[in-house]
Amino acid sequence: MLSNRRLPDLKIRDLRDDYCEFELSNTDVSMANALRRVMLVEVPTIAVDLVEIEQNTTVLNDEFIAHRLGLIPLVSTAVHHMKGPFDDIGEKDFTDVELSLHVLCTSDDTQDVTSNDFILDHQHPEVYPVGYSDSRMQSEDAERPILIVKMRKNQELKLKAIARKGIGKDHAKWIPVATVTFQHKPQISINRALMDTLDEKVKEAFVDASPSHALSYNSVTKQVEVTETEAYMYDGEYEKMAQELHHPDLITITQSDNEFIFRVEGTGVLSVEDVIITAVDVLTAKLRNLQQALPPPEQNEGEN
Amino acid sequence: MSNAPDRYERFVVPEGLQKISIEKDTKVTNAATFTLQREDHTVGNLIRMQLLRDPEVMFAGYKFPHPLEYHIFIKVQTMGKKPPREAFDDALTNLIGELTDIRDKFQSEADIKRQLD
């Protein structure tokens, strides 16, 4: 019986490499929240997972540096044809990307060791730190690299960093996004008849009651208008003001329970489009997996 | 430190454990408790809400007993025409269908957006 199936709607408002805003409707909070949770914590990316330190005479200790390396975002487009350490691994699958780093400070000035000092794995040159540019061909418009440690003369850092596929549930360094949020779409309705009984000054004050500026006063038509529904932040200020004016029915604000506005901010590790599509795939795969794992029906189940 | 559980235990189903097991309620008819290993609120709430949309389902609820116990329980009681297992199966089918829709819609919207740029 498929009559209980929802037919969701989706509209993209803005889509860039590192930002996406879309509206999801005709579905339920449980679906919106599941998508949010999966995007945050179950979409796989690549991050440094194991560090072998050969030489470290810098001021930071080995663990400290290993931790910093883990947090460097690595471009993870290769993650889709990579296997994680907990998957079934075949002979042709690859799980490890080996980055190396060797810096010796020879100058009298302080020297920065950055993500640009990494030497990439020549088998997997598609895995590199976000904003990476080879230190020999530094250009003006290159992004500023990520600082790992600062050195003084004769200090040395030599290490091998192994990057692996992982998910945010394991460690936050694998989270593919900066933030994912969804909000219920607000529904604001003004009681016109009641509003008309108020005079101009009061109307203007009413509009300014909430700092969210969801409402505005039109001086030509002399009416209070809803201009920016989504700017409303459920601060309750309009309702409070209505209460104070002894007209609690002046305005009604509710949250829609089947329209959601999603905002996804990427980190550069994966494009947000990729994150969203992968999140849907991951969630689908989870449910498929559950369906397959469901034990077969018992023969006498009907008797119960 | 030494008694901290391994991080991977949160999402890797240990050998010998079934992903799902069903236990029929001994006191209530047409009721069963599903135990889902290595799942949390993401799937729990999603399935519960979908089950509640089924008119054949009388009761559906989920419980994530403890943050360090990596399983959830979903309790389902049906009206009698449909056994709980079938209701659960239908809920999953419906959710998978819904996700397919979301994926397709997002993909086609993204393609349109890209053409406009």
Side-chain angles (χ1 to χ4, degrees):
Chain A
M1 201 167 79
L2 294 172
S3 58
N4 304 314
R5 177 152 148 22
R6 283 179 290 243
L7 298 165
D9 243 321
L10 194 144
K11 261 186 82 66
I12 299 178
R13 289 182 180 169
D14 188 7
L15 181 62
R16 279 173 268 148
D17 257 358
D18 59 354
Y19 183 72
C20 180
E21 193 172 317
F22 64 95
E23 228 174 290
L24 183 67
S25 49
N26 292 328
T27 185
D28 182 89
V29 239
S30 62
M31 179 56 84
N33 196 42
L35 283 174
R36 194 199 109 251
R37 286 176 64 104
V38 170
M39 274 186 232
L40 199 66
V41 103
E42 281 178 85
V43 170
T45 63
I46 302 172
V48 170
D49 194 29
L50 189 77
V51 181
E52 286 172 35
I53 293 184
E54 250 175 74
Q55 182 66 264
N56 175 18
T57 49
T58 65
V59 290
L60 299 185
N61 60 46
D62 295 1
E63 295 79 346
F64 201 116
I65 288 177
H67 178 243
R68 287 182 71 75
L69 295 177
L71 296 174
I72 293 173
L74 302 178
V75 171
S76 304
T77 40
V79 79
H80 300 300
H81 40 90
M82 195 172 172
K83 283 279 168 82
F86 307 109
D87 300 332
D88 297 323
I89 298 156
E91 264 180 38
K92 283 182 192 154
D93 297 322
F94 79 99
T95 56
D96 293 5
V97 177
E98 209 179 285
L99 302 165
S100 55
L101 185 140
H102 184 198
V103 185
L104 174 68
C105 180
T106 47
S107 76
D108 284 323
D109 301 324
T110 332
Q111 189 179 337
D112 291 352
V113 182
T114 69
S115 56
N116 275 348
D117 292 311
F118 270 121
I119 298 152
L120 305 182
D121 188 333
H122 45 84
Q123 279 176 0
H124 306 288
E126 70 279 16
V127 180
Y128 54 88
V130 170
Y132 183 81
S133 58
D134 207 300
S135 43
R136 278 154 290 171
M137 34 175 266
Q138 290 256 2
S139 60
E140 276 291 303
D141 57 297
E143 272 181 72
R144 281 179 64 200
I146 298 154
L147 185 65
I148 297 165
V149 65
K150 289 188 179 189
M151 283 178 168
R152 65 177 288 178
K153 197 170 182 178
N154 293 328
Q155 289 183 341
E156 189 184 8
L157 182 63
K158 188 175 183 191
L159 56 87
K160 238 174 18 194
I162 293 163
R164 294 199 177 119
K165 179 180 180 172
I167 58 172
K169 232 183 197 181
D170 190 343
H171 190 288
K173 66 189 174 189
W174 279 296
I175 293 177
V177 290
T179 56
V180 211
T181 57
F182 73 82
Q183 71 169 125
H184 293 260
K185 206 172 179 177
Q187 289 171 320
I188 306 178
S189 70
I190 297 169
N191 188 332
R192 283 260 161 267
L194 211 53
M195 189 63 89
D196 286 340
T197 63
L198 303 175
D199 65 69
E200 230 169 282
K201 281 259 163 55
V202 182
K203 280 182 189 170
E204 273 178 64
F206 186 78
V207 162
D208 291 329
S210 164
S212 61
H213 296 293
L215 305 182
S216 65
Y217 179 67
N218 188 328
S219 52
V220 183
T221 58
K222 303 216 185 311
Q223 290 213 310
V224 174
E225 290 168 352
V226 184
T227 38
E228 201 88 53
T229 318
E230 276 162 38
Y232 186 67
M233 37 202 180
Y234 300 104
D235 52 10
E237 292 294 334
Y238 292 129
E239 287 102 322
K240 213 163 100 192
M241 178 92 179
Q243 219 40 275
E244 279 163 18
L245 294 168
H246 302 291
H247 289 306
D249 305 331
L250 196 56
I251 190 162
T252 32
I253 304 176
T254 50
Q255 341 192 324
S256 168
D257 54 12
N258 61 358
E259 292 163 287
F260 310 97
I261 301 145
F262 270 83
R263 294 189 179 86
V264 189
E265 284 175 39
T267 56
V269 160
L270 287 172
S271 72
V272 271
E273 186 185 341
D274 198 354
V275 173
I276 295 164
I277 294 280
T278 317
V280 178
D281 288 344
V282 167
L283 192 52
T284 312
K286 274 169 92 84
L287 297 174
R288 282 242 162 78
N289 181 15
L290 285 173
Q291 203 166 31
Q292 274 160 15
L294 206 57
E298 288 170 44
Q299 291 304 311
N300 57 351
E301 205 159 15
E303 290 169 21
N304 196 345
Chain B
M1 275 293 272
S2 59
N3 67 349
D6 286 321
R7 273 162 15 205
Y8 66 81
E9 287 201 14
R10 231 175 288 182
F11 49 89
V12 180
V13 182
E15 246 172 276
L17 256 184
Q18 276 183 308
K19 183 79 187 171
I20 307 191
S21 55
I22 307 179
E23 201 182 333
K24 270 197 201 168
D25 202 305
T26 49
K27 289 178 187 146
V28 187
T29 50
N30 304 315
T33 305
F34 297 74
T35 307
L36 316 196
Q37 285 300 333
R38 313 295 115 139
E39 291 295 351
D40 57 13
H41 298 289
T42 310
V43 160
N45 192 34
L46 192 65
I47 295 175
R48 176 190 70 134
M49 292 310 279
Q50 184 62 41
L51 280 166
L52 289 172
R53 286 173 56 82
D54 189 339
E56 270 300 306
V57 171
M58 189 189 285
F59 175 88
Y62 87 101
K63 175 159 89 173
F64 181 46
H66 187 96
L68 291 175
E69 286 170 27
Y70 310 115
H71 56 256
I72 53 168
F73 299 117
I74 299 180
K75 200 164 208 157
V76 188
Q77 187 187 0
T78 62
M79 308 295 247
K81 276 190 219 138
K82 206 193 249 186
R85 200 209 88 101
E86 203 184 314
F88 193 88
D89 198 12
D90 286 349
L92 288 174
T93 310
N94 287 329
L95 285 171
I96 292 168
E98 190 178 335
L99 281 164
T100 317
D101 275 5
I102 292 177
R103 194 200 145 99
D104 292 347
K105 290 235 163 86
F106 185 87
Q107 194 65 268
S108 65
E109 279 267 317
D111 290 343
I112 295 167
K113 268 265 157 18
R114 222 173 295 120
Q115 272 166 17
L116 290 176
D117 294 338

PDB file of all heavy atoms in Angstrom, chain A residues 3-15:
ATOM      1  N   SER A   3      -0.241   4.442  -0.414  1.00  0.00           N
ATOM      2  CA  SER A   3      -1.000   5.675  -0.290  1.00  0.00           C
ATOM      3  C   SER A   3      -0.449   6.600   0.794  1.00  0.00           C
ATOM      4  O   SER A   3      -0.796   7.764   0.839  1.00  0.00           O
ATOM      5  CB  SER A   3      -2.455   5.357   0.014  1.00  0.00           C
ATOM      6  OG  SER A   3      -2.508   4.605   1.209  1.00  0.00           O
ATOM      7  N   ASN A   4       0.406   6.056   1.680  1.00  0.00           N
ATOM      8  CA  ASN A   4       0.933   6.895   2.750  1.00  0.00           C
ATOM      9  C   ASN A   4       2.215   7.605   2.354  1.00  0.00           C
ATOM     10  O   ASN A   4       2.909   8.160   3.179  1.00  0.00           O
ATOM     11  CB  ASN A   4       1.209   6.044   3.984  1.00  0.00           C
ATOM     12  CG  ASN A   4      -0.022   5.311   4.409  1.00  0.00           C
ATOM     13  OD1 ASN A   4      -1.092   5.897   4.467  1.00  0.00           O
ATOM     14  ND2 ASN A   4       0.114   4.030   4.659  1.00  0.00           N
ATOM     15  N   ARG A   5       2.514   7.539   1.071  1.00  0.00           N
ATOM     16  CA  ARG A   5       3.761   8.118   0.600  1.00  0.00           C
ATOM     17  C   ARG A   5       3.557   9.599   0.350  1.00  0.00           C
ATOM     18  O   ARG A   5       2.569  10.002  -0.254  1.00  0.00           O
ATOM     19  CB  ARG A   5       4.124   7.411  -0.698  1.00  0.00           C
ATOM     20  CG  ARG A   5       5.348   7.913  -1.385  1.00  0.00           C
ATOM     21  CD  ARG A   5       5.934   6.764  -2.157  1.00  0.00           C
ATOM     22  NE  ARG A   5       6.622   7.041  -3.398  1.00  0.00           N
ATOM     23  CZ  ARG A   5       7.165   8.148  -3.791  1.00  0.00           C
ATOM     24  NH1 ARG A   5       7.027   9.227  -3.092  1.00  0.00           N
ATOM     25  NH2 ARG A   5       7.816   8.215  -4.930  1.00  0.00           N
ATOM     26  N   ARG A   6       4.473  10.390   0.851  1.00  0.00           N
ATOM     27  CA  ARG A   6       4.401  11.840   0.620  1.00  0.00           C
ATOM     28  C   ARG A   6       5.028  12.170  -0.724  1.00  0.00           C
ATOM     29  O   ARG A   6       5.885  11.453  -1.224  1.00  0.00           O
ATOM     30  CB  ARG A   6       5.175  12.583   1.708  1.00  0.00           C
ATOM     31  CG  ARG A   6       4.443  12.668   3.016  1.00  0.00           C
ATOM     32  CD  ARG A   6       5.296  13.398   4.003  1.00  0.00           C
ATOM     33  NE  ARG A   6       6.427  12.597   4.365  1.00  0.00           N
ATOM     34  CZ  ARG A   6       6.647  12.163   5.609  1.00  0.00           C
ATOM     35  NH1 ARG A   6       5.847  12.476   6.575  1.00  0.00           N
ATOM     36  NH2 ARG A   6       7.706  11.419   5.868  1.00  0.00           N
ATOM     37  N   LEU A   7       4.575  13.271  -1.301  1.00  0.00           N
ATOM     38  CA  LEU A   7       5.172  13.729  -2.554  1.00  0.00           C
ATOM     39  C   LEU A   7       5.846  15.074  -2.298  1.00  0.00           C
ATOM     40  O   LEU A   7       5.229  16.123  -2.448  1.00  0.00           O
ATOM     41  CB  LEU A   7       4.096  13.857  -3.633  1.00  0.00           C
ATOM     42  CG  LEU A   7       3.403  12.548  -3.979  1.00  0.00           C
ATOM     43  CD1 LEU A   7       2.137  12.779  -4.766  1.00  0.00           C
ATOM     44  CD2 LEU A   7       4.344  11.617  -4.742  1.00  0.00           C
ATOM     45  N   PRO A   8       7.087  15.040  -1.874  1.00  0.00           N
ATOM     46  CA  PRO A   8       7.751  16.275  -1.483  1.00  0.00           C
ATOM     47  C   PRO A   8       8.086  17.173  -2.671  1.00  0.00           C
ATOM     48  O   PRO A   8       8.145  16.716  -3.812  1.00  0.00           O
ATOM     49  CB  PRO A   8       9.035  15.793  -0.812  1.00  0.00           C
ATOM     50  CG  PRO A   8       9.305  14.469  -1.417  1.00  0.00           C
ATOM     51  CD  PRO A   8       7.977  13.875  -1.751  1.00  0.00           C
ATOM     52  N   ASP A   9       8.266  18.444  -2.362  1.00  0.00           N
ATOM     53  CA  ASP A   9       8.618  19.432  -3.370  1.00  0.00           C
ATOM     54  C   ASP A   9       9.912  20.095  -2.961  1.00  0.00           C
ATOM     55  O   ASP A   9      10.150  20.268  -1.777  1.00  0.00           O
ATOM     56  CB  ASP A   9       7.520  20.500  -3.432  1.00  0.00           C
ATOM     57  CG  ASP A   9       6.868  20.495  -4.791  1.00  0.00           C
ATOM     58  OD1 ASP A   9       7.617  20.318  -5.773  1.00  0.00           O
ATOM     59  OD2 ASP A   9       5.634  20.643  -4.849  1.00  0.00           O
ATOM     60  N   LEU A  10      10.707  20.465  -3.950  1.00  0.00           N
ATOM     61  CA  LEU A  10      11.973  21.093  -3.605  1.00  0.00           C
ATOM     62  C   LEU A  10      12.272  22.217  -4.585  1.00  0.00           C
ATOM     63  O   LEU A  10      12.090  22.052  -5.787  1.00  0.00           O
ATOM     64  CB  LEU A  10      13.086  20.038  -3.649  1.00  0.00           C
ATOM     65  CG  LEU A  10      14.418  20.413  -2.996  1.00  0.00           C
ATOM     66  CD1 LEU A  10      15.023  19.201  -2.331  1.00  0.00           C
ATOM     67  CD2 LEU A  10      15.393  20.983  -3.986  1.00  0.00           C
ATOM     68  N   LYS A  11      12.654  23.361  -4.052  1.00  0.00           N
ATOM     69  CA  LYS A  11      13.029  24.486  -4.900  1.00  0.00           C
ATOM     70  C   LYS A  11      14.353  25.052  -4.426  1.00  0.00           C
ATOM     71  O   LYS A  11      14.510  25.361  -3.246  1.00  0.00           O
ATOM     72  CB  LYS A  11      11.967  25.596  -4.831  1.00  0.00           C
ATOM     73  CG  LYS A  11      11.009  25.575  -5.997  1.00  0.00           C
ATOM     74  CD  LYS A  11      10.071  26.763  -5.975  1.00  0.00           C
ATOM     75  CE  LYS A  11      10.695  28.014  -6.564  1.00  0.00           C
ATOM     76  NZ  LYS A  11      10.987  27.914  -8.004  1.00  0.00           N
ATOM     77  N   ILE A  12      15.299  25.156  -5.339  1.00  0.00           N
ATOM     78  CA  ILE A  12      16.593  25.723  -4.957  1.00  0.00           C
ATOM     79  C   ILE A  12      16.534  27.230  -5.153  1.00  0.00           C
ATOM     80  O   ILE A  12      16.117  27.710  -6.194  1.00  0.00           O
ATOM     81  CB  ILE A  12      17.743  25.137  -5.812  1.00  0.00           C
ATOM     82  CG1 ILE A  12      17.824  23.634  -5.603  1.00  0.00           C
ATOM     83  CG2 ILE A  12      19.064  25.786  -5.444  1.00  0.00           C
ATOM     84  CD1 ILE A  12      18.880  22.949  -6.434  1.00  0.00           C
ATOM     85  N   ARG A  13      16.941  27.968  -4.113  1.00  0.00           N
ATOM     86  CA  ARG A  13      16.945  29.421  -4.239  1.00  0.00           C
ATOM     87  C   ARG A  13      18.307  29.921  -4.668  1.00  0.00           C
ATOM     88  O   ARG A  13      18.437  30.876  -5.410  1.00  0.00           O
ATOM     89  CB  ARG A  13      16.634  30.044  -2.894  1.00  0.00           C
ATOM     90  CG  ARG A  13      15.212  29.856  -2.479  1.00  0.00           C
ATOM     91  CD  ARG A  13      15.064  30.555  -1.188  1.00  0.00           C
ATOM     92  NE  ARG A  13      13.722  30.445  -0.683  1.00  0.00           N
ATOM     93  CZ  ARG A  13      13.403  30.806   0.540  1.00  0.00           C
ATOM     94  NH1 ARG A  13      14.324  31.288   1.341  1.00  0.00           N
ATOM     95  NH2 ARG A  13      12.175  30.695   0.945  1.00  0.00           N
ATOM     96  N   ASP A  14      19.328  29.290  -4.126  1.00  0.00           N
ATOM     97  CA  ASP A  14      20.681  29.752  -4.395  1.00  0.00           C
ATOM     98  C   ASP A  14      21.573  28.523  -4.378  1.00  0.00           C
ATOM     99  O   ASP A  14      21.463  27.689  -3.482  1.00  0.00           O
ATOM    100  CB  ASP A  14      21.093  30.744  -3.295  1.00  0.00           C
ATOM    101  CG  ASP A  14      22.417  31.426  -3.609  1.00  0.00           C
ATOM    102  OD1 ASP A  14      22.926  31.210  -4.731  1.00  0.00           O
ATOM    103  OD2 ASP A  14      22.934  32.155  -2.748  1.00  0.00           O
ATOM    104  N   LEU A  15      22.424  28.414  -5.379  1.00  0.00           N
ATOM    105  CA  LEU A  15      23.343  27.283  -5.406  1.00  0.00           C
ATOM    106  C   LEU A  15      24.701  27.752  -5.877  1.00  0.00           C
ATOM    107  O   LEU A  15      24.861  28.189  -7.006  1.00  0.00           O
ATOM    108  CB  LEU A  15      22.811  26.176  -6.319  1.00  0.00           C
ATOM    109  CG  LEU A  15      23.671  24.909  -6.425  1.00  0.00           C
ATOM    110  CD1 LEU A  15      23.809  24.202  -5.093  1.00  0.00           C
ATOM    111  CD2 LEU A  15      23.091  23.956  -7.452  1.00  0.00           C
TER     112      LEU A  15
END
